Amino acid sequence: MTVAAALSIFLLGGVLGAAIAWFAAHSFSQRTIESLLERTKNELRDATATRASERVSELVSPVTEKLGEFDRLLGELLGRTNQLENATLNLTTQTSTLVTALRNPTRWQSLSAFAPIANPVAVPWGKKAFGNYLGPDTAAWQEWDASILMRRRAYPGAILIDQGQADQFLAEQLHPEALEAAAAVSGQALTLRRHERYDHSYWFIQTFIADHLAHHAKTLL
């Protein structure tokens, strides 16, 4: 073997060795970075979920307190104390209405709802919202599910719920039968009325709102 050939082999081997070493180091570094990123992402997700759960409580508590103050002021105007449900809450956020009352049963004396999401932990809307706001721990979700709360403990008064049978969200998202099942377990006084040809629109609410006002008046006045 000539000196030139030996030198060529030596140089070629050195280049290949360097290339192999570089690729190995690069691969190891990439795996390390990916592992660190994944660990950091998991830690951030867990911390975010914990903080999100705390934040939900922080957001809900002042609303509940303000509604309580509104309740007290209205009670004074009508010569009664702690006897009025906030009608705006009832009309605008049906699921929140049920959850707020079931979580604070001594504060709200009359309760009704139109087409609420009865069992959010089991439907796409609820899973998406709870997953984003409360994190992956499904046990935490249950504290904000009306049917689960009702199953654990009955609300002390009668509840009126109206549901349209032509509601486009009925089958996939609303599941009012979950409330009926929960009421059967806890002994909740529940009137759940189903109406043919009514959907999820405000026309539905307009049609039956008088019944809800009468329901509250019967309890409060």
Side-chain angles (χ1 to χ4, degrees):
M1 178 182 295
T2 65
V3 173
L7 181 60
S8 297
I9 293 173
F10 174 77
L11 291 175
L12 178 61
V15 170
L16 288 174
I20 292 171
W22 184 88
F23 278 113
H26 177 73
S27 177
F28 174 76
S29 176
Q30 188 71 19
R31 286 196 302 271
T32 301
I33 291 173
E34 290 174 354
S35 176
L36 288 172
L37 286 174
E38 183 65 22
R39 187 174 68 184
T40 301
K41 183 176 70 174
N42 291 337
E43 290 175 353
L44 286 173
R45 183 187 61 195
D46 293 342
T48 300
T50 300
R51 178 57 185 150
S53 180
E54 294 172 351
R55 183 60 178 156
V56 169
S57 296
E58 291 172 2
L59 291 171
V60 170
S61 295
V63 172
T64 303
E65 292 301 319
K66 290 296 183 182
L67 290 174
E69 179 65 12
F70 180 78
D71 165 40
R72 184 185 65 78
L73 292 173
L74 278 179
E76 290 178 0
L77 288 174
L78 296 177
R80 299 170 68 91
T81 305
N82 293 328
Q83 292 295 309
L84 294 176
E85 178 204 18
N86 183 291
T88 303
L89 176 66
N90 170 265
L91 295 181
T92 57
T93 54
Q94 305 305 308
T95 303
S96 298
T97 298
L98 295 177
V99 170
T100 299
L102 289 165
R103 286 171 63 94
N104 303 274
T106 61
R107 173 161 288 174
W108 308 107
Q109 303 302 311
S110 183
L111 177 61
S112 71
F114 287 93
I117 304 174
N119 189 200
V121 301
V123 301
W125 278 348
K127 291 177 180 179
K128 180 178 180 180
F130 288 163
N132 287 332
Y133 283 101
L134 299 176
D137 181 9
T138 56
W141 300 3
Q142 297 183 14
E143 301 304 315
W144 304 93
D145 185 298
S147 65
I148 293 175
L149 294 174
M150 185 184 292
R151 181 179 290 268
R152 292 177 185 170
R153 180 178 61 180
Y155 171 76
I159 301 175
L160 172 63
I161 295 176
D162 280 309
Q163 174 63 60
Q165 291 297 87
D167 192 317
Q168 62 270 42
F169 307 114
L170 177 59
E172 184 177 18
Q173 306 286 3
L174 304 184
H175 295 195
E177 65 278 2
L179 292 174
E180 290 178 313
V185 171
S186 65
Q188 175 67 58
L190 173 67
T191 300
L192 198 162
R193 306 189 305 182
R194 292 174 169 85
H195 305 277
E196 297 295 334
R197 299 187 300 278
Y198 283 94
D199 58 14
H200 205 77
S201 69
Y202 281 104
W203 298 109
F204 171 50
I205 295 176
Q206 178 182 340
T207 302
F208 299 103
I209 187 60
D211 293 344
H212 286 248
L213 295 176
H215 168 77
H216 298 308
K218 182 179 178 181
T219 302
L220 306 177
L221 302 178

